[in-house]
Amino acid sequence: MNRFGVVPVHPWNPETESIERAAEILRSGGLVAFPTETVYGLGANGLSPDAALKIYAAKGRPQDNPLILHFAACRDIEPLAHISRRARVLMKKFWPGPLTLVLPSKGVVPREVTAGLDTLAVRMPSHPVALALIDRAGFPIAAPSANSSGRPSPTDAQAVANDLGDRVDLILDAGPTAVGVESTVLDLTGPEIILLRPGGCPIEEIEATTGEKILLSGGDDHRSPGTRYRHYAPSVPLLLDREEGVRPRAMAIGGRVAWMGMMGPEKIFPDGEVHESLSIVFSSAENYARGLFHAIRTLETRQADVIVAQWPPSPEGLGRAVRDRLERASSRE
Ligand code: TXA
Ligand code: MG
Protein backbone atom coordinates (compact mmCIF):
# COMPACT_ATOMS: atom_id res chain seq x y z
CA MET A 1 0.00 0.00 0.00
CA ASN A 2 1.31 3.47 -0.83
CA ARG A 3 0.58 6.75 0.91
CA PHE A 4 -2.79 7.14 -0.80
CA GLY A 5 -3.94 3.81 0.61
CA VAL A 6 -4.03 1.95 -2.70
CA VAL A 7 -4.72 -1.73 -1.99
CA PRO A 8 -4.25 -4.21 -4.86
CA VAL A 9 -7.13 -6.66 -5.09
CA HIS A 10 -7.69 -9.63 -7.36
CA PRO A 11 -10.36 -8.71 -9.95
CA TRP A 12 -12.09 -12.12 -10.04
CA ASN A 13 -11.39 -13.49 -6.55
CA PRO A 14 -11.11 -10.44 -4.31
CA GLU A 15 -9.19 -11.15 -1.11
CA THR A 16 -11.53 -11.25 1.90
CA GLU A 17 -9.20 -9.21 4.14
CA SER A 18 -9.00 -6.34 1.65
CA ILE A 19 -12.77 -6.32 1.11
CA GLU A 20 -13.39 -6.42 4.86
CA ARG A 21 -10.99 -3.56 5.44
CA ALA A 22 -12.75 -1.46 2.80
CA ALA A 23 -16.20 -2.41 4.14
CA GLU A 24 -15.15 -1.38 7.64
CA ILE A 25 -14.14 2.07 6.36
CA LEU A 26 -17.57 2.40 4.72
CA ARG A 27 -19.32 1.25 7.91
CA SER A 28 -17.51 3.93 9.88
CA GLY A 29 -18.62 6.60 7.41
CA GLY A 30 -15.49 6.84 5.25
CA LEU A 31 -14.89 6.90 1.48
CA VAL A 32 -13.62 3.96 -0.58
CA ALA A 33 -12.84 4.10 -4.29
CA PHE A 34 -13.57 0.76 -5.95
CA PRO A 35 -13.68 -0.73 -9.45
CA THR A 36 -16.92 -1.37 -11.31
CA GLU A 37 -17.09 -2.80 -14.84
CA THR A 38 -17.67 0.75 -16.18
CA VAL A 39 -15.39 3.15 -14.27
CA TYR A 40 -14.05 3.44 -10.70
CA GLY A 41 -16.62 4.67 -8.20
CA LEU A 42 -16.20 6.82 -5.11
CA GLY A 43 -18.25 4.91 -2.55
CA ALA A 44 -19.90 5.79 0.74
CA ASN A 45 -22.72 4.37 2.86
CA GLY A 46 -25.77 5.23 0.74
CA LEU A 47 -28.08 5.36 3.76
CA SER A 48 -25.95 7.83 5.73
CA PRO A 49 -26.41 11.57 5.06
CA ASP A 50 -23.01 12.45 6.54
CA ALA A 51 -21.16 9.84 4.52
CA ALA A 52 -22.90 10.95 1.31
CA LEU A 53 -21.94 14.57 1.95
CA LYS A 54 -18.27 13.53 2.06
CA ILE A 55 -18.57 12.37 -1.55
CA TYR A 56 -19.63 15.84 -2.72
CA ALA A 57 -16.81 17.46 -0.75
CA ALA A 58 -14.12 15.07 -2.04
CA LYS A 59 -15.16 15.51 -5.68
CA GLY A 60 -16.10 19.17 -5.54
CA ARG A 61 -19.47 18.04 -6.90
CA PRO A 62 -22.51 20.35 -6.94
CA GLN A 63 -24.94 19.09 -4.30
CA ASP A 64 -27.93 19.19 -6.62
CA ASN A 65 -26.49 16.35 -8.71
CA PRO A 66 -27.85 13.07 -7.24
CA LEU A 67 -25.91 9.85 -6.72
CA ILE A 68 -26.51 6.30 -7.97
CA LEU A 69 -27.11 3.63 -5.31
CA HIS A 70 -25.29 0.35 -5.98
CA PHE A 71 -26.81 -2.99 -4.92
CA ALA A 72 -25.70 -6.61 -4.83
CA ALA A 73 -29.25 -8.03 -4.60
CA CYS A 74 -32.57 -6.84 -6.07
CA ARG A 75 -34.50 -7.55 -2.85
CA ASP A 76 -32.50 -4.80 -1.12
CA ILE A 77 -34.04 -2.23 -3.49
CA GLU A 78 -37.62 -3.07 -2.53
CA PRO A 79 -37.80 -1.05 0.72
CA LEU A 80 -36.30 1.99 -1.06
CA ALA A 81 -37.98 2.30 -4.48
CA HIS A 82 -41.06 1.21 -6.44
CA ILE A 83 -40.08 -1.46 -8.96
CA SER A 84 -42.41 -1.64 -11.96
CA ARG A 85 -42.81 -4.74 -14.12
CA ARG A 86 -40.83 -3.04 -16.85
CA ALA A 87 -38.02 -2.35 -14.38
CA ARG A 88 -37.98 -6.01 -13.36
CA VAL A 89 -37.67 -7.14 -16.97
CA LEU A 90 -34.67 -4.86 -17.48
CA MET A 91 -33.03 -5.93 -14.22
CA LYS A 92 -33.44 -9.58 -15.14
CA LYS A 93 -31.94 -9.09 -18.59
CA PHE A 94 -29.12 -6.59 -17.95
CA TRP A 95 -28.11 -6.95 -14.30
CA PRO A 96 -25.56 -7.21 -13.04
CA GLY A 97 -24.24 -4.81 -15.67
CA PRO A 98 -23.80 -1.24 -16.93
CA LEU A 99 -27.44 -0.11 -16.69
CA THR A 100 -28.84 2.38 -14.14
CA LEU A 101 -32.59 2.69 -13.61
CA VAL A 102 -34.27 5.79 -12.19
CA LEU A 103 -37.31 4.66 -10.18
CA PRO A 104 -39.89 6.39 -7.96
CA SER A 105 -38.33 6.67 -4.50
CA LYS A 106 -40.14 5.54 -1.35
CA GLY A 107 -38.59 8.47 0.49
CA VAL A 108 -36.30 6.38 2.69
CA VAL A 109 -32.96 7.23 1.07
CA PRO A 110 -31.50 10.46 2.46
CA ARG A 111 -31.94 13.62 0.40
CA GLU A 112 -28.16 14.01 0.43
CA VAL A 113 -28.11 11.03 -1.99
CA THR A 114 -31.15 11.88 -4.15
CA ALA A 115 -30.47 15.63 -4.12
CA GLY A 116 -34.01 16.05 -2.85
CA LEU A 117 -35.65 14.37 -5.88
CA ASP A 118 -38.55 11.97 -5.43
CA THR A 119 -36.73 9.45 -7.61
CA LEU A 120 -33.84 7.07 -6.97
CA ALA A 121 -31.15 5.84 -9.38
CA VAL A 122 -30.24 2.18 -8.81
CA ARG A 123 -27.73 -0.15 -10.38
CA MET A 124 -26.17 -3.57 -9.83
CA PRO A 125 -22.61 -3.54 -11.12
CA SER A 126 -21.09 -6.78 -12.44
CA HIS A 127 -17.54 -6.30 -11.16
CA PRO A 128 -16.78 -9.02 -8.55
CA VAL A 129 -14.94 -6.50 -6.34
CA ALA A 130 -17.91 -4.11 -6.36
CA LEU A 131 -20.37 -6.92 -5.59
CA ALA A 132 -18.19 -8.29 -2.78
CA LEU A 133 -17.80 -4.85 -1.24
CA ILE A 134 -21.53 -4.05 -1.30
CA ASP A 135 -22.35 -7.46 0.12
CA ARG A 136 -19.80 -7.17 2.90
CA ALA A 137 -20.75 -3.59 3.78
CA GLY A 138 -24.36 -4.63 4.40
CA PHE A 139 -25.94 -1.51 2.83
CA PRO A 140 -26.23 -0.01 -0.66
CA ILE A 141 -23.21 2.03 -1.70
CA ALA A 142 -23.71 5.51 -3.12
CA ALA A 143 -21.04 6.09 -5.76
CA PRO A 144 -20.40 8.62 -8.47
CA SER A 145 -17.40 8.21 -10.75
CA ALA A 146 -14.22 8.68 -8.65
CA ASN A 147 -12.86 11.72 -10.51
CA SER A 148 -12.77 15.33 -9.40
CA SER A 149 -15.95 16.98 -10.63
CA GLY A 150 -15.72 17.89 -14.32
CA ARG A 151 -12.70 15.69 -15.11
CA PRO A 152 -12.73 12.51 -17.22
CA SER A 153 -13.95 9.47 -15.27
CA PRO A 154 -11.19 7.21 -13.89
CA THR A 155 -10.74 3.79 -15.48
CA ASP A 156 -7.82 2.77 -13.28
CA ALA A 157 -6.63 3.31 -9.70
CA GLN A 158 -3.86 5.69 -10.75
CA ALA A 159 -6.38 8.12 -12.22
CA VAL A 160 -8.35 8.02 -8.95
CA ALA A 161 -5.20 8.72 -6.92
CA ASN A 162 -4.21 11.56 -9.26
CA ASP A 163 -7.61 13.24 -8.90
CA LEU A 164 -8.58 12.56 -5.30
CA GLY A 165 -5.30 11.74 -3.50
CA ASP A 166 -5.83 11.62 0.25
CA ARG A 167 -9.44 12.84 0.02
CA VAL A 168 -10.32 9.13 -0.25
CA ASP A 169 -9.60 6.76 2.64
CA LEU A 170 -8.81 3.70 0.52
CA ILE A 171 -8.56 2.79 -3.17
CA LEU A 172 -9.17 -0.84 -4.20
CA ASP A 173 -7.00 -1.42 -7.26
CA ALA A 174 -8.20 -4.25 -9.52
CA GLY A 175 -6.61 -2.93 -12.71
CA PRO A 176 -8.31 -1.19 -15.65
CA THR A 177 -12.10 -1.38 -16.03
CA ALA A 178 -13.64 -3.37 -18.87
CA VAL A 179 -16.33 -1.07 -20.31
CA GLY A 180 -14.59 2.29 -19.88
CA VAL A 181 -17.64 4.57 -20.05
CA GLU A 182 -20.27 4.92 -17.34
CA SER A 183 -23.58 3.06 -17.17
CA THR A 184 -26.54 3.85 -19.40
CA VAL A 185 -29.10 5.78 -17.31
CA LEU A 186 -32.83 5.28 -18.02
CA ASP A 187 -35.73 7.18 -16.49
CA LEU A 188 -38.48 4.65 -15.80
CA THR A 189 -40.73 6.92 -13.75
CA GLY A 190 -43.05 7.97 -16.60
CA PRO A 191 -45.15 6.31 -19.28
CA GLU A 192 -42.21 6.21 -21.67
CA ILE A 193 -38.62 5.10 -21.20
CA ILE A 194 -36.31 8.10 -21.40
CA LEU A 195 -32.57 7.90 -22.00
CA LEU A 196 -30.86 10.24 -19.52
CA ARG A 197 -27.30 9.17 -20.38
CA PRO A 198 -26.04 6.81 -23.08
CA GLY A 199 -23.46 4.40 -21.64
CA GLY A 200 -22.17 0.86 -21.47
CA CYS A 201 -25.51 -0.81 -22.22
CA PRO A 202 -26.48 -0.14 -25.88
CA ILE A 203 -30.02 1.21 -26.31
CA GLU A 204 -30.64 -1.09 -29.29
CA GLU A 205 -30.37 -4.05 -26.89
CA ILE A 206 -32.71 -2.41 -24.40
CA GLU A 207 -35.28 -1.67 -27.10
CA ALA A 208 -35.06 -5.24 -28.35
CA THR A 209 -35.79 -6.46 -24.81
CA THR A 210 -38.73 -4.20 -23.97
CA GLY A 211 -40.14 -3.82 -27.48
CA GLU A 212 -40.52 -0.12 -26.67
CA LYS A 213 -38.81 2.81 -28.35
CA ILE A 214 -36.59 4.78 -25.97
CA LEU A 215 -36.98 8.56 -25.98
CA LEU A 216 -33.69 10.40 -26.30
CA SER A 217 -33.80 13.17 -23.71
CA GLY A 218 -32.79 16.51 -25.13
CA GLY A 219 -30.79 17.65 -22.13
CA ASP A 220 -33.82 18.15 -19.90
CA ASP A 221 -32.20 19.74 -16.83
CA HIS A 222 -35.00 18.87 -14.49
CA ARG A 223 -34.96 15.17 -15.25
CA SER A 224 -31.24 14.65 -15.57
CA PRO A 225 -29.41 16.97 -13.19
CA GLY A 226 -25.98 15.71 -14.29
CA THR A 227 -26.39 17.04 -17.82
CA ARG A 228 -26.29 20.62 -16.58
CA TYR A 229 -22.58 20.61 -15.81
CA ARG A 230 -19.45 20.61 -17.89
CA HIS A 231 -18.03 17.09 -17.97
CA TYR A 232 -14.92 15.18 -18.93
CA ALA A 233 -12.98 18.38 -19.48
CA PRO A 234 -9.40 17.72 -20.57
CA SER A 235 -6.81 20.28 -19.44
CA VAL A 236 -6.11 21.01 -23.13
CA PRO A 237 -8.61 21.88 -25.90
CA LEU A 238 -10.34 18.91 -27.52
CA LEU A 239 -11.59 19.34 -31.10
CA LEU A 240 -13.75 16.94 -33.11
CA ASP A 241 -12.71 15.87 -36.60
CA ARG A 242 -16.28 16.48 -37.83
CA GLU A 243 -15.96 20.20 -37.12
CA GLU A 244 -15.38 22.61 -39.98
CA GLY A 245 -11.73 23.63 -40.41
CA VAL A 246 -10.45 21.37 -37.66
CA ARG A 247 -6.92 21.13 -39.12
CA PRO A 248 -6.22 24.88 -39.34
CA ARG A 249 -7.78 25.36 -35.91
CA ALA A 250 -5.56 22.68 -34.37
CA MET A 251 -2.50 24.08 -36.15
CA ALA A 252 -3.37 27.58 -34.92
CA ILE A 253 -3.33 26.33 -31.33
CA GLY A 254 0.03 24.94 -32.39
CA GLY A 255 2.58 23.01 -30.43
CA ARG A 256 1.98 19.31 -29.99
CA VAL A 257 -1.12 18.10 -31.83
CA ALA A 258 -2.56 14.80 -30.57
CA TRP A 259 -5.02 12.43 -32.19
CA MET A 260 -7.40 9.71 -31.04
CA GLY A 261 -9.92 7.73 -33.02
CA MET A 262 -10.79 4.56 -34.87
CA MET A 263 -8.45 5.33 -37.77
CA GLY A 264 -5.07 7.03 -37.97
CA PRO A 265 -4.63 10.83 -38.09
CA GLU A 266 -3.47 10.88 -41.75
CA LYS A 267 -6.82 11.83 -43.27
CA ILE A 268 -6.98 15.07 -41.28
CA PHE A 269 -3.23 15.55 -40.89
CA PRO A 270 -1.66 14.24 -44.12
CA ASP A 271 1.70 15.91 -43.55
CA GLY A 272 2.67 13.96 -40.45
CA GLU A 273 1.71 16.79 -38.10
CA VAL A 274 0.80 14.27 -35.39
CA HIS A 275 3.79 12.58 -33.77
CA GLU A 276 3.44 8.82 -33.31
CA SER A 277 3.56 9.07 -29.51
CA LEU A 278 0.57 11.42 -29.60
CA SER A 279 -1.65 9.22 -31.76
CA ILE A 280 -4.00 6.70 -30.11
CA VAL A 281 -5.98 4.44 -32.43
CA PHE A 282 -8.73 2.03 -31.34
CA SER A 283 -9.80 -1.00 -33.38
CA SER A 284 -13.54 -0.71 -32.62
CA ALA A 285 -16.17 1.48 -30.99
CA GLU A 286 -16.04 -0.83 -27.95
CA ASN A 287 -12.30 -0.27 -27.61
CA TYR A 288 -12.73 3.46 -28.16
CA ALA A 289 -15.15 3.45 -25.20
CA ARG A 290 -12.75 1.38 -23.10
CA GLY A 291 -9.80 3.62 -23.80
CA LEU A 292 -11.37 7.07 -24.23
CA PHE A 293 -10.90 8.52 -20.75
CA HIS A 294 -7.50 6.90 -20.30
CA ALA A 295 -6.40 8.27 -23.68
CA ILE A 296 -7.37 11.82 -22.67
CA ARG A 297 -5.37 11.52 -19.45
CA THR A 298 -2.41 9.92 -21.28
CA LEU A 299 -2.29 12.67 -23.93
CA GLU A 300 -2.39 15.31 -21.19
CA THR A 301 0.58 13.61 -19.49
CA ARG A 302 2.43 13.52 -22.82
CA GLN A 303 1.94 17.27 -22.93
CA ALA A 304 -0.29 17.54 -25.94
CA ASP A 305 -1.36 21.14 -26.61
CA VAL A 306 -4.53 20.16 -28.48
CA ILE A 307 -6.35 16.84 -28.91
CA VAL A 308 -8.29 16.09 -32.09
CA ALA A 309 -10.77 13.22 -31.69
CA GLN A 310 -12.57 11.22 -34.33
CA TRP A 311 -16.37 11.28 -34.14
CA PRO A 312 -17.48 7.61 -34.17
CA PRO A 313 -19.02 6.94 -37.60
CA SER A 314 -22.01 5.07 -36.14
CA PRO A 315 -24.19 5.86 -33.10
CA GLU A 316 -24.88 2.15 -32.65
CA GLY A 317 -23.58 0.11 -29.74
CA LEU A 318 -20.94 1.93 -27.72
CA GLY A 319 -20.65 4.59 -30.44
CA ARG A 320 -23.50 6.58 -28.88
CA ALA A 321 -21.78 6.83 -25.49
CA VAL A 322 -18.43 7.75 -27.07
CA ARG A 323 -20.15 10.49 -29.11
CA ASP A 324 -21.84 11.83 -25.98
CA ARG A 325 -18.61 11.96 -23.95
CA LEU A 326 -16.67 13.55 -26.83
CA GLU A 327 -19.36 16.17 -27.30
CA ARG A 328 -19.20 17.11 -23.63
CA ALA A 329 -15.39 17.00 -23.48
CA SER A 330 -15.18 19.33 -26.47
CA SER A 331 -17.84 21.84 -25.45
CA ARG A 332 -16.41 25.22 -24.74
CA GLU A 333 -18.85 26.92 -22.41
O1 TXA B 1 -21.16 3.60 -14.39
C1 TXA B 1 -21.61 4.39 -13.56
O2 TXA B 1 -22.81 4.73 -13.54
C2 TXA B 1 -20.64 4.95 -12.51
C3 TXA B 1 -20.17 3.79 -11.62
C4 TXA B 1 -19.29 4.24 -10.50
O3 TXA B 1 -21.28 3.09 -11.16
N1 TXA B 1 -21.25 5.98 -11.75
C5 TXA B 1 -21.51 7.21 -12.27
O4 TXA B 1 -22.03 8.13 -11.35
O5 TXA B 1 -21.27 7.52 -13.41
P1 TXA B 1 -22.10 9.70 -11.65
O6 TXA B 1 -22.55 10.30 -10.37
O7 TXA B 1 -20.80 10.15 -12.19
O8 TXA B 1 -23.25 9.84 -12.69
C6 TXA B 1 -24.60 9.56 -12.29
C7 TXA B 1 -25.56 10.20 -13.24
C8 TXA B 1 -25.53 11.71 -13.11
O9 TXA B 1 -25.68 12.26 -14.41
C9 TXA B 1 -26.75 12.00 -12.25
O10 TXA B 1 -27.29 13.28 -12.48
C10 TXA B 1 -27.71 10.90 -12.67
O11 TXA B 1 -26.89 9.77 -12.89
N2 TXA B 1 -28.71 10.61 -11.63
C11 TXA B 1 -28.51 10.10 -10.41
N3 TXA B 1 -29.66 10.02 -9.71
C12 TXA B 1 -30.63 10.47 -10.53
C13 TXA B 1 -32.04 10.65 -10.41
N4 TXA B 1 -32.70 10.33 -9.31
N5 TXA B 1 -32.71 11.14 -11.48
C14 TXA B 1 -32.05 11.47 -12.62
N6 TXA B 1 -30.73 11.33 -12.80
C15 TXA B 1 -30.03 10.84 -11.78
MG1 MG C 1 -19.38 11.19 -13.21
Side-chain angles (χ1 to χ4, degrees):
M1 186 178 103
N2 69 11
R3 73 191 175 91
F4 291 133
V6 180
V7 174
V9 57
H10 195 286
W12 316 126
N13 303 295
E15 295 80 354
T16 313
E17 317 83 74
S18 308
I19 296 298
E20 175 50 29
R21 190 164 145 213
E24 185 48 37
I25 291 172
L26 293 174
R27 286 193 287 264
S28 54
L31 297 181
V32 172
F34 63 98
T36 79
E37 74 279 22
T38 58
V39 301
Y40 275 71
L42 177 62
N45 180 348
L47 301 180
S48 157
D50 290 343
L53 283 177
K54 286 189 194 166
I55 290 179
Y56 293 91
K59 284 190 56 131
R61 179 180 176 107
Q63 269 186 42
D64 58 354
N65 192 3
L67 305 173
I68 297 172
L69 274 193
H70 297 68
F71 295 83
C74 287
R75 64 175 175 279
D76 296 336
I77 301 174
E78 264 156 43
L80 309 179
H82 297 280
I83 308 176
S84 60
R85 264 196 38 205
R86 183 161 63 186
R88 276 185 211 284
V89 168
L90 291 171
M91 289 170 178
K92 191 150 193 269
K93 170 81 181 172
F94 295 104
W95 281 8
L99 178 66
T100 295
L101 304 175
V102 173
L103 307 174
S105 170
K106 290 187 174 171
V108 179
V109 174
R111 55 180 298 114
E112 286 75 6
V113 171
T114 61
L117 298 177
D118 53 10
T119 57
L120 184 65
V122 298
R123 137 164 156 83
M124 188 187 294
S126 65
H127 200 297
V129 172
L131 289 171
L133 183 63
I134 300 162
D135 188 55
R136 194 82 192 179
F139 43 72
I141 298 180
S145 48
N147 50 285
S148 345
S149 193
R151 292 277 299 147
S153 294
T155 55
D156 58 35
Q158 187 62 55
V160 178
N162 289 349
D163 269 26
L164 300 179
D166 54 14
R167 279 173 286 160
V168 51
D169 298 305
L170 190 89
I171 301 173
L172 291 173
D173 179 0
T177 59
V179 178
V181 290
E182 304 88 335
S183 60
T184 301
V185 182
L186 297 182
D187 181 346
L188 296 186
T189 61
E192 287 173 293
I193 305 181
I194 300 171
L195 179 71
L196 298 180
R197 177 178 71 184
C201 188
I203 65 168
E204 298 81 15
E205 288 181 28
I206 300 168
E207 289 179 335
T209 298
T210 60
E212 291 176 76
K213 198 93 193 129
I214 295 177
L215 291 188
L216 309 180
S217 82
D220 179 335
D221 279 0
H222 168 72
R223 262 206 272 274
S224 185
T227 57
R228 225 173 305 165
Y229 304 103
R230 176 104 200 264
H231 276 85
Y232 317 114
S235 57
V236 298
L238 187 140
L239 308 179
L240 303 177
D241 73 337
R242 64 167 185 162
E243 289 165 24
E244 197 70 42
V246 64
R247 180 171 180 267
R249 280 175 58 210
M251 301 310 286
I253 294 170
R256 293 157 64 80
V257 180
W259 168 266
M260 60 185 196
M262 293 164 63
M263 57 183 196
E266 300 78 22
K267 194 166 156 222
I268 307 284
F269 299 100
D271 297 333
E273 296 95 330
V274 178
H275 189 267
E276 216 178 305
S277 68
L278 293 176
S279 170
I280 298 180
V281 179
F282 300 104
S283 58
S284 64
E286 285 67 31
N287 287 338
Y288 202 169
R290 283 186 183 112
L292 171 67
F293 291 137
H294 186 258
I296 292 175
R297 288 175 183 265
T298 301
L299 294 172
E300 287 175 347
T301 309
R302 294 190 186 156
Q303 296 181 327
D305 293 295
V306 53
I307 301 171
V308 179
Q310 186 193 348
W311 188 247
S314 164
E316 272 168 30
L318 273 290
R320 187 180 304 275
V322 173
R323 284 183 172 191
D324 173 80
R325 305 308 186 268
L326 287 177
E327 201 151 45
R328 292 172 194 279
S330 67
S331 73
R332 298 260 77 89
E333 336 114 47

